[in-house]
Amino acid sequence: MSRGRGAVDPKRVSSELFSLTYGCMVAQLLKDFENPEEVNKQLETMGYNIGVRLIDDFLAHSPSVTRCSTLEEVAEVLCKQGFKMFLGIVPEVRNWSSAKDEFSLVITENPLAEYVELPPHCQDCLWYSNIICGVIRGALEMVQMDVKCSFVGDTLRGNDSTEIRIKFVKILEDSLPAGED
Amino acid sequence: MSKDEENKLVYGMLHSLKSFVGRISPDTSDAFQSYQTNNYRLTMYETPSGVKFVMNTSLELPLQATRDILHSLYKEVYVEYAVKNHMLSLQTPINSDLFKDKLEAFIHSKMRE
């Protein structure tokens, strides 16, 4: 599936470069912070900062999407449109809680983790793709939804599947800036 | 009126109008879109993420065309040159020459149509 080198669309970057860049970043974070728990937090924070902006990119390119009224809608849009648009994958939505306020996203092929093997000291505590949790939390916060988002399994750690658990906390009310009534 | 005062006025008015419109309407998800006088129309385009674009135009331009322009502005100028620039804070007035230039170029190109 190759075109002439000169015909590459400048807006597209090879997915290998993307995985390499991400891997390099995680490796550097591990070197800088040494503690995998701290790296998890850093990745989540970075993801959050990306998410609060990525939501506008997503909404601008999906004019048909309006405010979701149920968590089921959110899950649907998140997987079928959000993930599809930015990572080219469509995770499966599973394991709804009985109160319908929690669900899991199961990712079969994770583009971030291509060619990656975790070193032994990280096997039990690093969530390699934790940036994704931050992105989801940041993006949903901008549409007034407070959620808790975390990994519960990762094939990189030897688990059966790569699974993110998303729990709805509350709707955020629009707050007026100070000085307005 | 200074820019600051004008901005506060517009923001306050839009906030009140939005809540008023929602309450009076039979459908609570109804949203304020524009108001019109003899001389101009003020159109507001609000994204689900809460970003509001407000534009005052003459009456000749149809409402839907104005909303389309505002959506294009969101997609082609705001997202590209403000959102995607992590060095730029979105919580304070946007202070970027690149953004201002692209915005002006966008408006001029729309005016020529």
Side-chain angles (χ1 to χ4, degrees):
Chain A
M1 274 205 79
S2 62
R3 301 154 74 186
R5 280 255 147 224
V8 172
D9 179 358
K11 285 220 160 193
R12 306 202 134 251
V13 172
S14 88
S15 69
E16 283 180 21
L17 178 58
F18 176 62
S19 320
L20 274 174
T21 308
Y22 185 72
C24 192
M25 188 178 76
V26 178
Q28 189 62 45
L29 283 172
L30 278 169
K31 224 190 273 178
D32 288 342
F33 290 97
E34 284 169 26
N35 174 7
E37 274 303 333
E38 188 56 40
V39 175
N40 287 341
K41 278 202 207 117
Q42 290 296 321
L43 286 173
E44 213 274 349
T45 305
M46 290 167 77
Y48 175 81
N49 291 329
I50 294 176
V52 299
R53 293 181 180 246
L54 204 67
I55 184 74
D56 276 318
D57 194 358
F58 172 68
L59 291 170
H61 291 92
S62 326
S64 51
V65 171
T66 51
R67 282 270 179 99
C68 296
S69 41
T70 64
L71 197 61
E72 276 112 331
E73 266 184 71
V74 171
E76 176 96 2
V77 174
L78 186 57
C79 291
K80 299 220 171 100
Q81 298 193 47
F83 269 88
K84 183 102 212 300
M85 185 184 279
F86 295 108
L87 287 177
I89 56 171
V90 179
E92 223 186 293
V93 179
R94 276 204 228 148
N95 301 342
W96 281 97
S97 67
S98 47
K100 293 278 174 189
D101 63 345
E102 256 187 80
F103 63 94
S104 286
L105 289 183
V106 177
I107 297 175
T108 36
E109 268 195 53
N110 183 359
L112 291 176
E114 258 191 286
Y115 323 121
V116 174
E117 196 183 76
L118 291 182
H121 71 280
C122 300
Q123 273 282 339
D124 292 326
C125 29
L126 183 71
W127 292 117
Y128 183 80
S129 310
N130 212 30
I131 204 167
I132 299 181
C133 291
V135 174
I136 295 176
R137 182 174 69 92
L140 288 179
E141 187 173 300
M142 294 309 275
V143 286
Q144 318 306 120
M145 207 176 280
D146 184 7
V147 297
K148 279 213 209 326
C149 188
S150 56
F151 269 89
V152 293
D154 194 349
T155 49
L156 285 180
R157 279 169 62 153
N159 303 124
D160 293 330
S161 58
T162 302
E163 185 176 331
I164 298 177
R165 192 90 186 137
I166 299 179
K167 178 173 168 61
F168 171 78
V169 175
K170 61 178 192 285
I171 299 278
L172 298 161
E173 290 301 333
D174 283 331
S175 54
L176 283 169
E180 306 279 339
D181 279 321
Chain B
M1 222 190 321
S2 78
K3 271 267 163 233
D4 216 19
E5 280 173 42
E6 190 180 333
N7 289 341
K8 283 216 185 113
L9 245 180
V10 172
Y11 184 85
M13 180 273 293
L14 285 175
H15 191 88
S16 310
L17 256 177
K18 267 181 59 181
S19 95
F20 170 75
V21 160
R23 290 211 197 128
I24 295 251
S25 160
D27 179 355
T28 48
S29 66
D30 232 349
F32 167 72
Q33 291 184 1
S34 79
Y35 75 73
Q36 183 171 320
T37 70
N38 280 341
N39 294 313
Y40 76 102
R41 180 185 297 120
L42 178 144
T43 312
M44 180 181 85
Y45 177 80
E46 183 172 9
T47 70
S49 53
V51 185
K52 301 169 187 56
F53 295 89
V54 179
M55 186 156 85
N56 295 345
T57 61
S58 69
L59 296 172
E60 293 153 10
L61 195 58
L63 176 59
Q64 191 50 43
T66 319
R67 287 179 65 79
D68 289 340
I69 290 179
L70 287 174
H71 176 81
S72 300
L73 196 141
Y74 174 48
K75 180 167 154 183
E76 291 160 33
V77 181
Y78 182 71
V79 164
E80 295 296 314
Y81 299 103
V83 171
K84 287 189 177 170
N85 181 359
H86 272 265
M87 302 284 124
L88 195 60
S89 160
L90 297 175
Q91 313 301 332
T92 59
I94 293 176
N95 188 8
S96 155
D97 287 332
L98 178 63
F99 179 77
K100 289 196 182 95
D101 292 341
K102 292 292 177 183
L103 180 60
E104 277 189 35
F106 177 84
I107 297 288
H108 285 312
S109 74
K110 291 296 171 187
M111 273 166 57
R112 258 178 267 129
E113 279 170 23

